[in-house]
Amino acid sequence: MYTSEGNIIQLIRNCLLGVLSSEDRHKLDVWLEEERENQLLFEKIKKELSLGSEVAVFNKLNDEEAWLQFKELRKRKSKLRIIRRMLWYAAVIMPLTLGVLWFWDVNFHEERESASGMESVIQPGVSKATLVAANGEVYELRKEVHQEEIKMGNGLVVKREEGNLIYDSTMIVEERTMINTLKIPRGGEFKITLSDGTRVYLNSATDLRYPMVFDQKERKVYLSGEAYFEVSKDESRPFYVVADDVVIRVYGTEFNVNTHLERGVQAVLLSGKVGICDKRHGDEIIMKPGELACGNRKDGEITLRKVDVRQYVAWKDGYFAFENETLEQIMSTLSLWYNVDVFFQAESVKKMIFTGYMKRYSEIDEILRAITDVVGVQFSINDRTIVVSK
């Protein structure tokens, strides 16, 4: 990066990571002394960033691309707006921890502008679900409940805690075939601990079917939507996730499965080893950590490729992670979490690309303003419908 502003962003990043040379330290000091705003910017970044030992959002980020976006922005924004966006891009190109804050409005909220008159009361999703028991009884689950027990037939008890449902492995054998269904609506999320100790994080618009107690030979659940699994190790009983026509076999690992995509089921493996196959073919493919498996909904073909898996699981920790994604993909994700409908006024808008990492619990207005600043599209909100235009 040859421009002075670009070099400054690089210097700030290296300084906060503790890898700044003495020569670069001098360059940074000179820049800090030039203007008071420079010092305020630097102090704000240092204050808000957490660069501890937590898991980074991303290690591989495109500095040049972020800088080109910033330069384009610089041509049409006031100096105060430039400083604010510089703060954003400094955040984008740094390998930050998942505890990092969304920088869109840091100390500049008094200057915030309304993008196309965009004002709404659309709030992010919350912990909520509907439990449909095998006997047909329905239970509405909400985060507000701190602890409660749900009794199901023959004295069976399921523990219900804040945003979590917990099944007990000591349930009587006669009830092992009872299948429950946990339904997560749009604008919701929930967690469940299955009878074997496996923990499942369920995203919006997701259904999970599972037995109250697994049998002695295998553990099998059925998924529609998106979920992150932390499977308890049990070599004598493989764990199966059936998602549409795809079957994933697990012995103890962590992975994410998503059936929302139009092209087919997508699975990302974080640790351990799993086998994945399409029921129409039956040939199992072994996945390794750091791999993404994509199933083709039409012909059943499964392909593997290496990815940075954190992009695909950031939602579990409360973040959106959009890496060179189209607006169509991004708005589809947002529509599920914020429970809104999206309308594009032009097909070309759907193909525009955006990269950004932000808090999942922010109001939707903040996220839309960020996209507007970077790619130049306009959003208007009418009740729970978002219209996207050039």
Side-chain angles (χ1 to χ4, degrees):
M1 303 167 77
Y2 300 103
T3 55
S4 59
E5 292 93 339
N7 285 330
I8 289 301
I9 295 177
Q10 184 74 36
L11 293 176
I12 292 175
R13 180 178 71 170
N14 290 344
C15 178
L16 295 174
L17 292 173
V19 294
L20 195 66
S21 66
S22 57
E23 180 181 354
D24 285 343
R25 174 76 252 186
H26 174 72
K27 293 178 182 178
L28 180 60
D29 288 339
V30 171
W31 178 78
L32 291 172
E33 294 172 1
E34 285 179 356
E35 294 187 54
R36 174 63 175 164
E37 285 179 338
N38 296 347
Q39 182 66 37
L40 291 175
L41 170 65
F42 183 65
E43 292 300 324
K44 176 53 65 177
I45 295 176
K46 285 201 303 182
K47 179 180 178 181
E48 300 295 351
L49 292 186
S50 169
L51 293 170
S53 58
E54 302 173 33
V55 178
V57 175
F58 291 98
N59 283 330
K60 299 176 182 177
L61 293 171
N62 192 330
D63 293 15
E64 289 293 343
E65 182 176 347
W67 173 242
L68 289 175
Q69 289 177 323
F70 172 71
K71 281 202 305 182
E72 180 63 27
L73 205 66
R74 189 173 184 267
K75 296 176 183 178
R76 62 179 190 270
K77 303 293 181 182
S78 67
K79 187 168 185 178
L80 185 58
R81 296 277 286 174
I82 292 170
I83 291 294
R84 182 171 68 186
R85 300 311 298 160
M86 185 174 179
L87 179 60
W88 159 243
Y89 283 114
V92 167
I93 68 172
M94 285 184 206
L96 307 180
T97 67
L98 285 176
V100 69
L101 300 178
W102 164 240
F103 287 95
W104 170 246
D105 259 340
V106 178
N107 265 9
F108 295 104
H109 57 277
E110 69 279 2
E111 294 293 329
R112 225 160 81 175
E113 301 173 3
S114 174
S116 302
M118 182 174 56
E119 298 294 339
S120 77
V121 291
I122 297 174
Q123 300 296 320
V126 297
S127 291
K128 59 182 178 181
T130 299
L131 172 63
V132 182
N135 60 8
E137 293 185 7
V138 178
Y139 304 87
E140 296 298 331
L141 310 178
R142 295 292 182 269
K143 182 179 179 180
E144 293 75 20
V145 176
H146 295 291
Q147 191 164 2
E148 182 182 73
E149 291 184 344
I150 300 176
K151 294 184 178 180
M152 297 182 181
N154 297 331
L156 295 179
V157 173
V158 179
K159 294 181 181 179
R160 174 185 174 191
E161 296 179 354
E162 184 176 354
N164 194 8
L165 203 60
I166 303 174
Y167 285 77
D168 188 352
S169 61
T170 61
M171 292 180 185
I172 59 177
V173 177
E174 287 76 4
E175 304 295 341
R176 292 181 187 272
T177 58
M178 292 181 63
I179 302 296
N180 285 357
T181 302
L182 193 60
K183 295 177 173 290
I184 317 301
R186 295 207 323 173
E189 64 179 355
F190 215 76
K191 291 180 290 185
I192 181 173
T193 302
L194 301 174
S195 62
D196 67 332
T198 292
R199 294 199 296 177
V200 188
Y201 300 76
L202 301 164
N203 208 345
S204 302
T206 296
D207 289 356
L208 182 72
R209 293 176 55 234
Y210 54 93
M212 293 188 66
V213 178
F214 293 113
D215 63 33
Q216 298 300 313
K217 295 182 178 180
E218 65 179 20
R219 300 167 290 166
K220 182 179 290 186
V221 300
Y222 298 83
L223 175 73
S224 175
E226 183 173 22
Y228 181 91
F229 291 83
E230 296 176 353
V231 179
S232 293
K233 189 172 183 178
D234 187 342
E235 294 183 358
S236 65
R237 293 188 301 170
F239 191 100
Y240 294 95
V241 177
V242 181
D244 293 346
D245 290 320
V246 172
V247 179
I248 302 172
R249 184 177 65 170
V250 188
Y251 286 94
T253 185
E254 296 185 25
F255 60 99
N256 193 83
V257 182
N258 189 354
T259 72
H260 284 312
L261 304 176
E262 183 178 351
R263 59 183 175 272
V265 176
Q266 184 184 83
V268 175
L269 181 62
L270 277 76
S271 64
K273 184 174 69 173
V274 304
I276 182 170
C277 71
D278 189 286
K279 291 185 290 186
R280 290 169 288 182
H281 295 298
D283 296 330
E284 185 177 82
I285 298 175
I286 300 300
M287 292 182 63
K288 299 177 182 178
E291 288 186 335
L292 168 73
C294 294
N296 188 306
R297 205 178 296 278
K298 293 181 179 179
D299 60 18
E301 182 183 0
I302 295 177
T303 58
L304 291 180
R305 62 185 173 92
K306 293 288 291 184
V307 296
D308 187 330
V309 297
R310 288 166 293 187
Q311 176 185 348
Y312 300 89
V313 301
W315 67 268
K316 178 181 72 72
D317 297 301
Y319 288 84
F320 288 116
F322 302 126
E323 178 74 11
N324 293 322
E325 290 194 38
T326 65
L327 285 189
E328 184 176 25
Q329 294 170 324
I330 291 170
M331 295 309 297
S332 176
T333 298
L334 296 180
S335 70
L336 296 180
W337 179 237
Y338 289 94
N339 189 20
V340 296
D341 296 317
V342 179
F343 175 74
F344 289 89
Q345 287 192 335
E347 286 294 316
S348 59
V349 177
K350 295 181 179 180
K351 297 178 175 59
M352 291 183 172
I353 303 297
F354 175 79
T355 292
Y357 318 100
M358 58 206 75
K359 294 182 72 173
R360 182 169 147 100
Y361 298 100
S362 297
E363 293 183 7
I364 198 169
D365 304 43
E366 298 183 15
I367 297 174
L368 299 183
R369 286 189 178 97
I371 297 174
T372 293
D373 261 19
V374 174
V375 300
V377 297
Q378 300 299 315
F379 297 94
S380 60
I381 300 176
N382 181 12
D383 194 16
R384 303 200 70 83
T385 299
I386 298 176
V387 178
V388 191
S389 59
K390 289 185 178 180

